[in-house]
Amino acid sequence: MAKNTNKELRNMMMYQVFVRNFSSAGNFKSVSEKIEYIRSLGTDIVWFMPIHPIGEQKRKGTLGSPYAIRDYRSVNPEFGTLNDFTELVDNIHSHGMKCIIDVVYNHTSPDSVLAKDHPDWFFHKSDGSFGNRVGDWSDIIDLDYSNQELWDYQIETLKYWAQYVDGFRCDVAPMIPIEFWEKARDEVAKIKKDCIWLSESIDPGFIKYLRSQGITAHSDCEMYRAFDIIYDYDIYQDFRAIFDRSGCLDLYAQAINRQEYIYPENYIKLCFLENHDQTRASHLIPEKKRLINWTAFMFFRKGLALIYNGQEKAVSHLPDLFDKDTIQWDNNNNTDLSCLISTLSRIKKNKVFTDSEFNVKSFKEGFYTAQHKSNGCKAVGIFSLKGETDSIPVELEDGTYTNLINGKETEVFRNIIVSDGEPIIIISKN
């Protein structure tokens, strides 16, 4: 496991930026103009989706997927120059935030620099041609990590970017040998001691499928050997099952609680309602009060909270990965979660969330009650996930408490609190 993982990452919020569709200009400079705004949301870490040039061969759509990379060691000229990027990173740092970039090391575009210069570093089909092991990824070709020279090149590339950025989000990292990531972490630490490592994980069904095909597919437990933060895909299917009614709140709560004992003691999960690969939260949860409660619960969970650009404005349309599809920031839906997110981010900084005993309980299939206990302090959350009102049992002494989300006083009487349908977070001494 990554023994030096900083548990204070659990107190943080990450903001994901898709440069192409963040603004009509779609470049680094336009993002830089919004850094103060991004910081105002309570952001601690800015994550940029791939910033590198995109391949042209077998390109999907007009502009191509940012995950079909042509050259790991340069920046996409559509976004600007390297100098533009470094100035953007400097701006992020000057606002007290960190910056991580996407690393896509499982594959490249078919016309990549590496495919041209080092064809022997790639997976080849039985006829000797380039290919990939997952059929629908038609715009990329897979790398072959049985070649140690590839390891050296990729690690040197990471060390190059570590001069500028504070960490890496690693795309489909479980499909690459964990030993590579362990070595990469050790080597990058020589350049950036406190580098942040985030692994996109893969869901259980995909792990089983890949293994059945003889393809490397590491579990989350294995990935924690080299990474600080792992995606929440181990239980994401339980979350989605709530909305298609194939599952329920109680089963999702059980899945969350399992994370407390199946992972290393310093595990950190990336908690999210949406990202660039998944349905927008406001599309999945269109009712405003329910969306507010789910957002509050996401922040309350044990882990690092993720906001995908546009989520704070309850944008319901997910930007296309392959064409220009600018986020419609003014979507006229009268739902703006910016102040809520800023408040939740501030609450999350409390040390009770850093290293706690955590659990979630489902009540009447409409509410979650959750709590963190740490060093004589307790954080209690009540979340009306259907936007309903009810009387909810809580593990708090009778008295008057302040709901940290809206500043209103709320009373506990005979260990019961009345929910008006809005989320409640209380922090008290045990």
Side-chain angles (χ1 to χ4, degrees):
M1 58 184 281
K3 295 181 180 179
N4 60 342
T5 291
N6 184 355
K7 292 181 182 178
E8 291 181 358
L9 289 166
R10 292 172 177 160
N11 298 97
M12 297 185 183
M13 188 265 274
M14 181 181 292
Y15 188 83
Q16 180 186 358
V17 176
F18 186 1
V19 175
R20 176 196 293 164
N21 289 329
F22 184 78
S23 67
S24 57
N27 56 30
F28 295 133
K29 289 184 177 180
S30 63
V31 177
S32 194
E33 292 169 358
K34 294 291 186 178
I35 290 302
E36 188 170 340
Y37 159 74
I38 291 173
R39 179 55 182 158
S40 73
L41 295 171
T43 303
D44 301 287
I45 304 168
V46 181
W47 155 27
F48 289 106
M49 289 167 60
I51 62 168
H52 309 296
I54 296 170
E56 297 183 7
Q57 187 177 342
K58 296 188 177 180
R59 174 179 286 188
K60 291 183 177 180
T62 304
L63 299 177
S65 168
Y67 291 90
I69 291 173
R70 183 163 49 84
D71 184 1
Y72 292 123
R73 296 186 176 181
S74 60
V75 300
N76 188 339
E78 298 170 23
F79 297 167
T81 65
L82 176 60
N83 187 62
D84 293 333
F85 178 68
T86 58
E87 287 183 354
L88 170 56
V89 175
D90 288 344
N91 193 10
I92 289 169
H93 288 160
S94 71
H95 282 79
M97 298 181 289
K98 294 183 180 295
C99 172
I100 69 172
I101 59 172
D102 236 309
V103 172
V104 188
Y105 270 13
N106 178 69
H107 49 260
T108 74
S109 67
D111 54 349
S112 68
V113 170
L114 291 189
K116 178 182 177 181
D117 295 344
H118 300 281
D120 53 315
W121 292 359
F122 286 80
F123 163 78
H124 294 271
K125 295 186 290 188
S126 58
D127 63 2
S129 62
F130 290 125
N132 68 78
R133 292 161 290 181
V134 180
D136 63 340
W137 297 352
S138 60
D139 57 341
I140 56 92
I141 55 176
D142 284 357
L143 288 157
D144 179 2
Y145 279 82
S146 66
N147 194 310
Q148 290 298 310
E149 290 182 350
L150 173 61
W151 286 38
D152 295 340
Y153 181 92
Q154 300 289 61
I155 290 172
E156 285 302 311
T157 302
L158 289 169
K159 291 167 73 173
Y160 167 76
W161 287 110
Q163 299 176 85
Y164 307 111
V165 301
D166 305 291
F168 304 100
R169 178 267 187 188
C170 302
D171 188 66
V172 290
M175 296 179 68
I176 297 166
I178 188 61
E179 294 80 8
F180 166 82
W181 294 118
E182 289 177 309
K183 183 177 180 181
R185 184 183 181 108
D186 289 342
E187 289 295 314
V188 170
K190 298 174 183 178
I191 304 295
K192 183 79 64 176
K193 185 178 180 181
D194 57 350
C195 184
I196 299 166
W197 292 88
L198 164 61
S199 169
E200 179 191 25
S201 58
I202 48 183
D203 68 75
F206 196 34
I207 291 175
K208 290 176 65 177
Y209 167 74
L210 292 173
R211 288 178 175 178
S212 73
Q213 302 301 306
I215 300 171
T216 297
H218 295 304
S219 68
D220 286 12
C221 290
E222 292 172 297
M223 297 308 291
Y224 274 120
R225 286 163 49 183
F227 286 86
D228 302 304
I229 313 161
I230 310 288
Y231 265 49
D232 215 21
Y233 279 157
D234 56 319
I235 62 172
Y236 184 71
Q237 70 275 15
D238 297 287
F239 168 69
R240 288 299 298 264
I242 294 168
F243 300 97
D244 66 15
R245 299 185 180 181
S246 63
C248 62
L249 289 176
D250 187 56
L251 289 176
Y252 184 46
Q254 292 179 40
I256 293 171
N257 290 334
R258 278 197 301 273
Q259 294 179 333
E260 278 287 272
Y261 60 81
I262 65 175
Y263 295 131
E265 182 268 342
N266 64 343
Y267 82 97
I268 299 173
K269 275 290 177 178
L270 183 71
C271 303
F272 57 85
L273 297 180
E274 65 177 69
N275 60 52
H276 69 277
D277 284 323
Q278 304 299 337
T279 306
R280 283 284 198 184
S282 63
H283 180 80
L284 190 66
I285 314 166
E287 302 89 348
K288 182 177 180 179
K289 190 172 284 190
R290 293 184 67 201
L291 181 61
I292 287 171
N293 275 274
W294 275 108
T295 301
F297 176 64
M298 180 193 74
F299 271 85
F300 193 83
R301 283 187 54 199
K302 193 172 188 175
L304 186 151
L306 174 70
I307 296 295
Y308 181 42
N309 51 196
Q311 182 177 349
E312 70 272 26
K313 299 295 186 182
V315 173
S316 60
H317 171 67
L318 191 69
D320 193 294
L321 274 179
F322 312 117
D323 290 288
K324 182 65 176 172
D325 189 10
T326 305
I327 296 169
Q328 299 301 308
W329 293 98
D330 183 13
N331 59 3
N332 296 315
N333 67 359
N334 298 316
T335 301
D336 188 338
L337 304 176
S338 301
C339 290
L340 172 68
I341 288 168
S342 178
T343 298
L344 293 168
S345 181
R346 184 174 64 254
I347 294 170
K348 199 170 181 67
K349 298 296 182 289
N350 191 292
K351 290 185 178 180
V352 71
F353 298 102
T354 309
D355 191 10
S356 66
E357 176 188 346
F358 176 67
N359 71 80
V360 183
K361 294 180 181 178
S362 175
F363 181 74
K364 291 186 177 179
E365 263 307 303
F367 290 83
Y368 275 160
T369 60
Q371 67 177 14
H372 293 262
K373 290 182 180 180
S374 177
N375 297 319
C377 192
K378 179 189 292 185
V380 175
I382 300 95
F383 307 97
S384 177
L385 299 172
K386 293 183 179 179
E388 299 171 346
T389 62
D390 210 328
S391 298
I392 312 297
V394 292
E395 295 183 24
L396 287 170
E397 294 182 0
D398 287 3
T400 302
Y401 299 85
T402 300
N403 179 0
L404 297 179
I405 297 178
N406 59 20
K408 295 180 180 179
E409 290 189 344
T410 184
E411 185 178 4
V412 175
F413 180 65
R414 294 181 179 176
N415 303 114
I416 296 291
I417 196 167
V418 177
S419 166
D420 62 359
E422 299 290 342
I424 300 170
I425 295 177
I426 294 166
I427 297 180
S428 71
K429 297 294 183 181
N430 284 341

